[in-house]
Amino acid sequence: MDKEQEILAISRLVFDLTRIDGGDLDDMLGRLHELLCSLPGIRVLPHSLILLYNSRGLLLQAAQFGLPPAWDCIDAEVSPYHLASEDDDQVVLSRSVAARLPLPMRQSIPADAACFMLPLRDNGRLIGKALIFVDPGWQADAIEFEFMGDLAQALSVLVCRLIINETLRVREVELEDARTDAIRRLGTASEYRDNETGMHIMRMTHIATAIAKAMGLSAEERELLSICAPMHDVGKIGIPDAILLKPGRLSSDEYEVMKGHTGIGKRLLDGDDALIQAARDIAASHHEHWDGGGYPEGLAGEDIPLLARICAVSDVFDALTSRRPYKDPWPVDQAVAWVREKSGSHFDPAVVAGFMQALPEVMRIRELYRDDIIDPNQVLDLPELPPHQCEWVRWDDALSVGIDVIDEHHRYLFDLTNDLYEVVSTKRGSREVARVMKALDQYVQVHFRAEERMMDHHGYHALGRQRHQHGEFEARLREFYAELHDNPLTAQFDVLVYLRTWLVRHILHEDARLRELVN
């Protein structure tokens, strides 16, 4: 191919690049390699990287072709944050990059490979670099260097387009959260007037979603249930204090007034929005019985909305096994037996079957979201849970602090971290990343407050230091969530590195000292 033909081919390639769907950077790099291989004059190797600057000015691996992903290099002796340190924002052909890669990457690339480093810009601002590895024996001429400059501009457009699209998805989640938060706040408003606790709301909601998952409900249906289940008793806002806060059992007349909370909830949740409709169904119908003997309308069977049938089981089970001013908690096995006994009369048999299948998770939820102060000497005997789908962060018995309940909290934090890894590694997008980070942030607050109450109750000497470290961790999570708005592509990898490093280090070096609380 003579130079005139090469110039024409290069021009066509740059045009083809602009037509690439920038929905996935890894796929884009694969497509780029195919296009570059069509130019015999440019001898590329099947290895390339996209590095983007995070909020602290460090280059972070955001995409790769023919190389290990970032999460496979976290434990390497060379940090993936420092794959390239050149400050030059021009096109550079470097022959020293390969030697500075983490070991998992060095094993994939010839040691003498050369590398084109292309600056990626957004309105003139340097946002990262593309690394394209080439045959060490190839000598690029001026035309090919100029092409690499054009390629850098084309890649910049594609990367910026993807960042904008992912940022919009994060904002969609925030708009949804703003809407659902108002619903959740209305649901918790009744909690402040009732003898029940916020932990009951959390337990009941998580138990309901565990049942729904066991029943095979879709992720969208489970999300709807998670948002609306806290609204089940919103109508108690309209019940007089003399009845709502009565420490003893209600008279028959008082009970009739209390039953009116379902009708109040139905009237409060008037609207055509799908969320409002689902919340209204739950608030109005979670006291209906499968056999038609419930209230307020005596609905039976599948005339009762499905989400309300699920909430009926989760609400009653948690109420039975919780302490109230007018009763002691039932033993768990007795409550489980009662729920099973009421299958086909009080409860939908399919929901009871889902409850029984989800029982290991239900038992765990009771320990994670408990009302009382953690007893360091309590021995847990929980049913074995099915293994998590992935174990990027693997629980090891060496991480045990000797307090069963705290160990279970930590295992759950590992599960949430693995959930985040799964979302990132399977490229489910910033929308799902934001959702998992929200769930992680909410549970971290529950976990830290439970730990701190235990430490305070038992006079733990390092409570102040623990509170400080907990506060720093919560603040860092909020910063990562904020960074999703600036560059979702770096934030999702950044938070994975932070979580894996912080959790293991904090458990081994700080929480391990809690063992002294065990008698």
Side-chain angles (χ1 to χ4, degrees):
M1 178 183 290
D2 59 30
K3 278 300 171 186
E4 185 174 330
Q5 291 176 316
E6 183 177 6
I7 292 172
L8 180 59
I10 286 173
S11 299
R12 287 174 178 165
L13 189 149
V14 172
F15 175 73
D16 286 342
L17 268 178
T18 63
R19 299 161 60 190
I20 291 179
D21 178 11
D24 183 276
L25 284 182
D26 292 344
D27 291 345
M28 183 196 75
L29 287 178
R31 176 65 178 139
L32 172 62
H33 177 72
E34 292 177 5
L35 293 173
L36 290 174
C37 286
S38 68
L39 298 175
I42 300 178
R43 288 151 52 188
V44 293
L45 298 176
H47 311 292
S48 54
L49 287 166
I50 295 289
L51 307 175
L52 298 176
Y53 286 103
N54 66 7
S55 62
R56 290 169 299 287
L58 297 174
L59 277 171
L60 181 62
Q61 181 179 343
Q64 58 283 318
F65 170 72
L67 292 170
W71 45 82
D72 286 349
C73 303
I74 287 176
D75 295 327
E77 79 288 358
V78 178
S79 170
Y81 287 119
H82 303 293
L83 294 180
S85 59
E86 283 84 349
D87 295 327
D88 195 334
D89 64 354
Q90 303 301 313
V91 173
V92 174
L93 180 60
S94 173
R95 300 187 182 275
S96 63
V97 171
R100 291 185 284 113
L101 294 173
L103 181 60
M105 291 189 179
R106 292 204 304 271
Q107 294 173 334
S108 304
I109 301 175
D112 58 350
C115 178
F116 266 106
M117 302 179 66
L118 313 181
L120 303 176
R121 297 185 179 88
D122 179 11
N123 291 323
R125 177 176 62 92
L126 189 65
I127 61 170
K129 297 181 182 181
L131 274 59
I132 299 174
F133 291 88
V134 297
D135 190 303
W138 176 54
Q139 297 294 327
D141 60 22
I143 291 177
E144 289 153 348
F145 259 95
E146 183 179 353
F147 159 66
M148 287 296 176
D150 293 338
L151 179 60
Q153 292 181 29
L155 290 177
S156 295
V157 171
L158 293 172
V159 170
C160 288
R161 184 194 305 166
L162 180 58
I163 291 174
I164 291 171
N165 289 340
E166 291 298 304
T167 300
L168 288 174
R169 293 188 177 100
V170 174
R171 296 196 182 279
E172 286 175 4
V173 173
E174 288 201 325
L175 288 173
E176 291 175 6
D177 281 346
R179 184 170 60 123
T180 58
D181 188 54
I183 295 176
R184 289 193 180 101
R185 287 180 183 274
L186 183 58
T188 55
S190 61
E191 164 198 333
Y192 290 101
R193 298 195 56 243
D194 201 347
N195 285 315
E196 295 177 359
T197 68
M199 288 300 177
H200 164 70
I201 301 289
M202 290 186 179
R203 286 192 303 269
M204 175 263 181
T205 299
H206 284 286
I207 290 171
T209 53
I211 294 171
K213 185 175 183 179
M215 292 177 66
L217 270 67
S218 68
E220 292 75 19
E221 289 173 302
R222 299 199 304 270
E223 177 73 14
L224 189 63
L225 178 61
S226 175
I227 294 168
C228 298
M231 301 293 292
H232 68 290
D233 276 340
V234 67
K236 287 183 177 179
I237 290 175
I239 302 301
D241 285 350
I243 295 176
L244 187 68
L245 305 179
K246 185 177 179 179
R249 292 197 173 275
L250 301 178
S251 68
S252 58
D253 289 342
E254 290 169 334
Y255 183 58
E256 287 301 316
V257 175
M258 178 65 84
K259 286 165 62 175
H261 78 277
T262 56
I264 295 170
K266 183 176 182 179
R267 292 192 296 274
L268 281 173
L269 297 167
D270 184 33
D272 296 328
D273 181 271
L275 280 176
I276 294 295
Q277 288 180 347
R280 182 173 65 245
D281 286 344
I282 291 171
S285 302
H286 69 287
H287 285 293
E288 300 285 5
H289 293 182
W290 182 254
D291 63 5
Y295 66 87
E297 297 181 16
L299 300 178
E302 294 186 358
D303 288 340
I304 307 168
L306 175 59
L307 299 189
R309 284 179 260 152
I310 294 172
C311 286
V313 173
S314 62
D315 185 37
V316 169
F317 174 78
D318 190 68
L320 291 175
T321 55
S322 300
R323 186 177 300 280
R324 294 288 183 267
Y326 52 85
K327 77 169 188 70
D328 291 329
W330 286 23
V332 170
D333 56 352
Q334 184 179 340
V336 170
W338 189 88
V339 169
R340 182 187 292 154
E341 177 189 336
K342 297 300 180 181
S343 175
S345 57
H346 192 138
F347 303 122
D348 177 354
V351 176
V352 173
F355 169 77
M356 297 304 299
Q357 183 179 337
L359 198 54
E361 182 64 24
V362 171
M363 300 294 287
R364 185 192 210 189
I365 290 165
R366 292 185 68 254
E367 296 301 333
L368 298 177
Y369 296 91
R370 56 197 300 158
D371 292 304
D372 57 343
I373 294 172
I374 294 172
D375 177 2
N377 297 292
Q378 180 184 357
V379 177
L380 292 184
D381 184 21
L382 297 178
E384 186 174 351
L385 287 165
H388 198 278
Q389 291 184 345
C390 73
E391 290 187 318
W392 181 65
V393 181
R394 186 184 298 273
W395 175 262
D396 188 281
D397 287 341
L399 294 168
S400 172
V401 303
I403 300 175
D404 283 7
V405 177
I406 296 298
D407 285 345
E408 199 59 43
H409 276 245
H410 290 162
R411 288 190 188 95
Y412 189 58
L413 282 171
F414 276 35
D415 285 351
L416 287 172
T417 301
N418 284 325
D419 286 344
L420 182 61
Y421 163 79
E422 192 173 10
V423 167
V424 173
S425 63
T426 56
K427 307 175 188 176
R428 285 157 59 184
S430 298
R431 183 187 183 90
E432 289 304 309
V433 170
R435 289 193 186 283
V436 178
M437 286 183 65
K438 280 279 190 180
L440 180 64
D441 179 62
Q442 290 168 0
Y443 179 71
V444 158
Q445 295 178 51
V446 171
H447 166 59
F448 285 162
R449 301 300 85 77
E451 271 193 341
E452 291 163 8
R453 285 195 302 272
M454 178 192 71
M455 295 179 210
D456 186 46
H457 180 78
H458 293 282
Y460 183 60
H461 65 91
L463 172 59
R465 183 172 67 239
Q466 283 269 14
R467 278 180 170 153
H468 177 72
Q469 293 183 12
H470 292 170
E472 286 187 331
F473 182 83
E474 290 176 81
R476 194 72 192 91
L477 277 187
R478 289 192 293 270
E479 288 174 10
F480 281 127
Y481 191 81
E483 287 174 17
L484 283 175
H485 298 81
D486 299 325
N487 192 335
L489 304 183
T490 59
Q492 58 185 324
F493 294 110
D494 225 353
V495 70
L496 278 176
V497 175
Y498 178 78
L499 283 172
R500 179 167 170 166
T501 304
W502 191 94
L503 286 174
V504 173
R505 185 181 67 243
H506 183 77
I507 291 171
L508 287 175
H509 299 288
E510 196 64 52
D511 284 348
R513 301 174 186 177
L514 294 172
R515 189 181 297 270
E516 67 186 62
L517 299 179
V518 180
N519 293 331

